[in-house]
Structure formats: C-alpha cells, structure tokens
Amino acid sequence: MPDRRFRQVQYEQEKREREARKHQHATKLKEIKIRLNIDPHDYETKVNHMRDFLGDGMKVKVTMMLRGRENAHPDTATR
C-alpha cells in the first residue's frame, strides 16, 4: 500500500509539472536590419514591426547595416 501512495504522489507531481510547462513562453529575439540610406516609408514600416514585436513581449535587436563606402565613414551612421 505505501508503494501505491508513493506512485500516486509522484504522478500528481509530474502532472503539475506538465501543466506548468504548458504555460511557459520562450523568450524570442527578433532582429531588424536597417540600412543607412533608407526611405522614410520603409523606416516607418520597420518601426511599426518593432512596436508589434515589443507589444507581443519579444525582444528586438536593431542592426545598422553599412555597405561599400559607408564602412569608411561609420560615424555618419550614429547621427
């Protein structure tokens, strides 16, 4: 009889753990890549996507992409 009680307690504990795992949400990271010379409409679209991701509880990583001669003057990207 004690063995049966132990199995019952063990089963209930595993059941609680399974139920807790159902409600977990993995943190997701979204990356948005922006070029230096971007059209204002494209910029607004990317900003709206960022707001949606943040509203859904995700993290957002913004990457500034430089190409060609833009790499020679990275200080212009910080402005």
Side-chain angles (χ1 to χ4, degrees):
M1 198 68 149
D3 189 39
R4 182 177 178 164
R5 177 74 179 137
F6 173 74
R7 287 186 186 144
Q8 182 181 6
V9 171
Q10 187 179 16
Y11 169 76
E12 290 173 356
Q13 182 180 0
E14 290 174 357
K15 189 174 178 181
R16 282 193 301 268
E17 289 172 359
R18 278 195 303 271
E19 191 67 29
R21 265 187 258 131
K22 281 184 185 179
H23 300 291
Q24 287 181 348
H25 185 269
T27 57
K28 295 182 180 174
L29 177 68
K30 294 288 187 174
E31 183 175 10
I32 303 286
K33 295 183 179 181
I34 297 178
R35 292 247 351 254
L36 183 60
N37 299 321
I38 188 171
D39 187 61
H41 180 264
D42 294 336
Y43 177 75
E44 285 298 318
T45 302
K46 289 186 183 281
V47 168
N48 288 335
H49 283 301
M50 283 187 259
R51 287 187 181 129
D52 291 340
F53 294 149
L54 291 171
D56 292 340
M58 299 179 191
K59 295 180 181 180
V60 178
K61 175 182 174 182
V62 180
T63 304
M64 192 71 166
M65 292 178 17
L66 301 176
R67 295 170 61 186
R69 292 296 275 175
E70 294 171 352
N71 284 321
H73 305 285
D75 57 324
T76 58
T78 58
R79 286 189 219 157

